[in-house]
Amino acid sequence: GWPAVCGKFRAARTLSAVESLKDPETEPYRSKYSARALLQEVKQLLSNAEEGGEARVLAVRRAVLEYELGVNHTDTEELSAGEEHLQRCTQLLEPHRLSPHCVSLYIQAQNNLGILWSRRDEIETAQTYLESAEALYNQYMKEDGNPPLDPSEHFMAEEEKLTDQERSKRFEKAYTHTLYYLAQVYQHLDMIEKAAQYCHTTLKRQLEYCGYYPVEWARNAATLSQYYLSKECFMEARHCLAAASVIFSQAGQVPSAEDNETEQDQHDLPERKAEIARCWIKYCLNLLQCARKLLEDNIGELDPDRQLELKAQRKKEEDEKEKGRKKAVLFGTSDICDSVLAMEEKVSSVYPLDFQEAREIFLVGQNYVQEAKEFFQVDGYVTDHIEIVQDHSALFKVLAFFEEDYERRCKMHKRRIDMLEPIYADLNPQYYLLICRQLQCELADTYYEMMDLKVAIGNRLEKLDSHTVKKINSLAQFAIKYYELFLDSLRNPDKVFPEKLEEDVLRPAMVAKFHIARLYGKLITSDSKKQLENMQTSLEYYTFLVDYCEKYPDAVPAVETELELSKEMVTLLPASMERLRAKLSPCV
């Protein structure tokens, strides 16, 4: 009864793959255990039939059963038994592993041994099995290359056998799994570059052979984009994100070759969409920030000579570079490619070199900020929401760098204040101390920057009018307020400032002290007594910096520039104060 044997084998596979999804939580492995019993029966029937059969055919059939039993035991958390069956499978196949009858099964057995060992946290052992599967695939494709039999075909009647096209598709899918698991193994072993390369190949192959869940694929592509961002490979990062957005839009619409997404995946769609939007925000922000680094002079302003030089250089390089690199990374079949290219055209992947180019990237980033905020709202996602708002503020900050008009630059910083202050006001420092500190520093720095811009605008006037004076003083006072709030957050419960600062707050605290000193020096008053008081306060803050670095020399590298200027001011200020006192003395 060969048909009966095949029927039992098929029933076992259906139980494992289909029925087990419906098992109750109280008996999660009910169908798996039923499948195992059937497989054992088939194994028994095979050993009874051994006398008359051809040895190699029987060996391969036994290997298929050992493989199925190995996967079954692994699925039910019985790893040692699973390992035994899988090892037996590879031993039976070893002599014939390069034949079209065996190669696919052998690779799948090694994949599963790789998974099994990584579940035991034995990553190097997993690596050995997976790399061996990869090498076998490459050797087979080089020496034979014909579509090999799928393991299931060893229990099929002749007329049920698969077409070459289907065989090829299943074989390639097994190899894609090898690469997918290798990508994870390399990531575990901190071989980040290799992991990214394998992840990219896996994603390409999944599209090529239509074997993917859209949501999971899009998530992996978006994650890969962040690796490319860290390497400043913006073209590759954009390509991954564009592909992620295109494939994500298929979720719930396109029946994939894999089983359809579960209800849980459908439920998670808004969150996944918002996560991809956040990756796009990081893309736009990083591209703008890297361009700023290229263009800024030694005081952080845009260098026009450098700008001209980079524009000329870009014109020359652009065409060549894009052509060569495009080929290496393209995802997908022609229709997917078209959608991805259309998506890519919405945002540049080359460094923006002037305000107009920067603004286009900024606007794309800002759109994704709104999309991400739709899901990550303050209620329920405080930390995520604030991070998105901070990214939005950072987009304005870097756009302001490209803006030549000081008044308009000021307005951009004002937008940052308007988005950060309400969030800060609603935060309880008891639960969100770190975020509160970040916001205090950012608000203080923003007011400080605005004050500097207003001073620069005032310097262009023949005479400072009272409105500008008020504005400068008000911005300086707000900056001082937020710097003081940050410094107060470092005090202990008895309100005492720490003797020695922790490494993570050393630079922010020192910069805050330095900026407060400078801000008191910028306050404009016609009252000489008040001016003297401000100079005295300024001196105290500068002195704190100098004294602290004398006491703790290891702090010097963190604040070299600020320290140098503080030393200068500690020398100069007393003389200026003396002169002012002398002016005042007749009045006293």
Side-chain angles (χ1 to χ4, degrees):
W2 178 241
V5 171
C6 292
K8 272 193 203 299
F9 178 80
R10 212 180 354 252
R13 288 190 61 152
T14 307
L15 277 167
S16 261
V18 182
E19 296 303 320
S20 66
L21 300 175
K22 305 171 199 163
D23 284 348
E25 276 180 32
T26 48
E27 291 181 273
Y29 299 136
R30 188 169 68 192
S31 300
K32 298 275 184 194
Y33 293 144
S34 307
R36 185 184 299 175
L38 281 177
L39 290 167
Q40 295 288 13
E41 279 180 46
V42 175
K43 194 174 169 182
Q44 191 53 50
L45 289 167
L46 265 194
S47 57
N48 296 344
E50 273 187 7
E51 299 81 56
E54 187 199 324
R56 196 184 72 167
V57 173
L58 283 171
V60 176
R61 283 178 184 161
R62 276 172 53 212
V64 172
L65 290 169
E66 293 294 353
Y67 170 77
E68 293 290 342
L69 285 163
V71 173
N72 181 292
H73 282 83
T74 310
D75 288 345
T76 58
E77 309 292 332
E78 298 161 78
L79 297 189
S80 297
E83 185 195 348
E84 268 179 49
H85 285 292
L86 290 167
Q87 290 288 17
R88 246 179 258 145
C89 165
T90 55
Q91 282 158 11
L92 285 162
L93 296 175
E94 192 63 43
H96 324 289
R97 67 182 192 283
L98 270 168
S99 82
H101 287 78
C102 305
V103 67
S104 185
L105 178 57
Y106 194 88
I107 284 173
Q108 288 179 54
Q110 295 215 298
N111 283 352
N112 278 279
L113 281 162
I115 296 166
L116 186 142
W117 282 99
S118 58
R119 278 171 68 176
R120 290 172 169 165
D121 273 336
E122 299 272 354
I123 306 298
E124 273 98 349
T125 312
Q127 180 188 2
T128 310
Y129 281 111
L130 293 165
E131 284 179 349
S132 151
E134 178 188 28
L136 185 64
Y137 169 88
N138 289 325
Q139 191 183 351
Y140 177 80
M141 292 308 277
K142 197 170 144 196
E143 292 176 14
D144 188 318
N146 290 309
L149 260 71
D150 185 69
S152 61
E153 291 188 81
H154 295 290
F155 287 89
M156 277 182 190
E158 207 48 53
E159 64 275 9
E160 295 174 308
K161 293 276 167 85
L162 305 176
T163 62
D164 270 0
Q165 193 181 359
E166 183 58 30
R167 282 176 179 172
S168 174
K169 194 168 159 184
R170 291 190 188 189
F171 183 50
E172 295 299 347
K173 185 177 164 183
Y175 178 57
T176 302
H177 283 158
T178 309
L179 301 176
Y180 176 74
Y181 299 126
L182 271 172
Q184 293 178 4
V185 160
Y186 292 139
Q187 189 152 6
H188 270 292
L189 297 172
D190 275 339
M191 298 161 73
I192 303 300
E193 209 156 317
K194 207 164 185 185
Q197 185 192 329
Y198 274 71
C199 181
H200 202 122
T201 309
T202 301
L203 291 168
K204 275 175 88 159
R205 291 177 61 85
Q206 285 174 332
L207 285 188
E208 201 178 323
Y209 298 105
C210 295
Y212 60 93
Y213 302 108
V215 175
E216 188 193 352
W217 193 96
R219 201 179 184 184
N220 288 333
T223 307
L224 181 60
S225 76
Q226 303 302 289
Y227 162 77
Y228 286 127
L229 274 192
S230 72
K231 295 284 179 207
E232 296 183 12
C233 297
F234 291 100
M235 194 195 80
E236 289 82 346
R238 178 184 68 172
H239 188 64
C240 288
L241 283 172
S245 294
V246 167
I247 297 297
F248 183 86
S249 66
Q250 298 176 352
Q253 300 165 15
V254 178
S256 153
E258 300 286 287
D259 302 323
N260 281 338
E261 256 110 359
T262 60
E263 279 170 40
Q264 181 59 37
D265 289 325
Q266 291 298 320
H267 177 71
D268 289 343
L269 286 182
E271 184 171 356
R272 299 287 166 259
K273 187 176 185 214
E275 283 171 355
I276 294 171
R278 290 183 75 178
C279 291
W280 273 113
I281 297 168
K282 293 292 185 202
Y283 170 84
C284 295
L285 188 52
N286 275 281
L287 184 55
L288 288 163
Q289 286 170 337
C290 286
R292 180 179 63 193
K293 265 191 236 138
L294 282 177
L295 287 164
E296 65 189 351
D297 57 21
N298 57 357
I299 55 159
E301 288 291 320
L302 195 146
D303 180 340
D305 295 338
R306 185 92 183 99
Q307 186 181 34
L308 287 171
E309 185 190 318
L310 284 166
K311 279 190 171 182
Q313 186 184 326
R314 181 170 75 184
K315 191 82 210 90
K316 219 166 70 181
E317 282 175 9
E318 212 170 21
D319 311 331
E320 285 315 302
K321 202 167 170 189
E322 184 113 345
K323 272 184 218 143
R325 279 166 63 191
K326 251 301 160 18
K327 280 207 285 284
V329 295
L330 276 182
F331 280 128
T333 52
S334 57
D335 50 339
I336 288 176
C337 265
D338 292 345
S339 312
V340 172
L341 291 172
M343 187 84 199
E344 286 182 315
E345 275 163 20
K346 293 179 184 174
V347 60
S348 169
S349 69
V350 295
Y351 295 123
L353 298 178
D354 56 35
F355 180 77
Q356 199 41 48
E357 291 175 3
R359 183 172 174 273
E360 283 171 19
I361 295 163
F362 165 86
L363 289 172
V364 173
Q366 186 166 251
N367 278 338
Y368 283 112
V369 166
Q370 303 314 336
E371 193 177 300
K373 271 164 54 179
E374 274 171 37
F375 179 82
F376 291 111
Q377 297 182 5
V378 169
D379 293 343
Y381 294 99
V382 181
T383 316
D384 292 295
H385 182 84
I386 292 173
E387 272 178 27
I388 293 164
V389 175
Q390 284 174 305
D391 279 345
H392 194 187
S393 165
L395 282 166
F396 269 107
K397 181 183 179 179
V398 71
L399 182 66
F401 167 81
F402 289 90
E403 175 55 76
E404 290 168 23
D405 183 289
Y406 284 1
E407 286 290 0
R408 280 171 57 188
R409 206 189 275 194
C410 243
K411 287 195 176 85
M412 289 177 195
H413 290 304
K414 178 72 173 80
R415 289 286 301 275
R416 297 171 62 205
I417 298 283
D418 293 344
M419 65 177 79
L420 295 170
E421 269 189 337
I423 278 185
Y424 172 71
D426 288 344
L427 269 188
N428 183 338
Q430 198 182 334
Y431 303 113
Y432 297 105
L433 180 62
L434 196 64
I435 298 176
C436 280
R437 284 178 177 170
Q438 286 174 0
L439 292 173
Q440 286 157 350
C441 287
E442 187 167 352
L443 282 162
D445 287 346
T446 311
Y447 275 119
Y448 182 83
E449 182 113 8
M450 286 172 77
M451 185 271 309
D452 259 350
L453 285 165
K454 286 292 179 194
V455 168
I457 293 164
N459 288 342
R460 293 173 178 177
L461 302 171
E462 281 180 29
K463 184 175 180 297
L464 269 183
D465 57 86
S466 63
H467 172 74
T468 309
V469 168
K470 251 192 190 149
K471 195 72 195 156
I472 290 170
N473 285 346
S474 154
L475 290 167
Q477 296 288 8
F478 274 117
I480 290 169
K481 169 189 147 181
Y482 281 109
Y483 282 130
E484 290 290 14
L485 280 167
F486 168 66
L487 292 168
D488 286 345
S489 81
L490 303 174
R491 296 177 186 276
N492 69 12
D494 300 328
K495 303 281 177 259
V496 178
F497 196 75
E499 179 74 19
K500 190 174 194 308
L501 290 156
E502 295 290 329
E503 201 178 326
D504 59 332
V505 292
L506 171 66
R507 177 158 173 80
M510 291 304 217
V511 168
K513 293 270 190 189
F514 175 75
H515 281 177
I516 294 171
R518 193 166 170 265
L519 286 157
Y520 273 105
K522 291 279 182 186
L523 289 170
I524 302 167
T525 174
S526 51
D527 177 346
S528 298
K529 263 178 140 167
K530 188 73 191 137
Q531 193 182 348
L532 204 54
E533 275 174 35
N534 289 344
M535 288 167 95
Q536 182 56 43
T537 310
S538 193
L539 180 60
E540 282 163 17
Y541 277 93
Y542 282 129
T543 308
F544 175 90
L545 214 86
V546 175
D547 290 350
Y548 187 93
C549 288
E550 267 177 25
K551 192 171 180 185
Y552 302 107
D554 55 340
V556 174
V559 282
E560 275 184 72
T561 317
E562 291 81 4
L563 179 61
E564 208 175 300
L565 292 166
S566 299
K567 282 180 176 170
E568 222 171 278
M569 294 308 284
V570 168
T571 317
L572 296 173
L573 267 177
S576 307
M577 288 162 74
E578 226 21 79
R579 281 197 296 278
L580 190 56
R581 275 199 202 94
K583 258 194 212 169
L584 279 173
S585 53
C587 323
V588 172

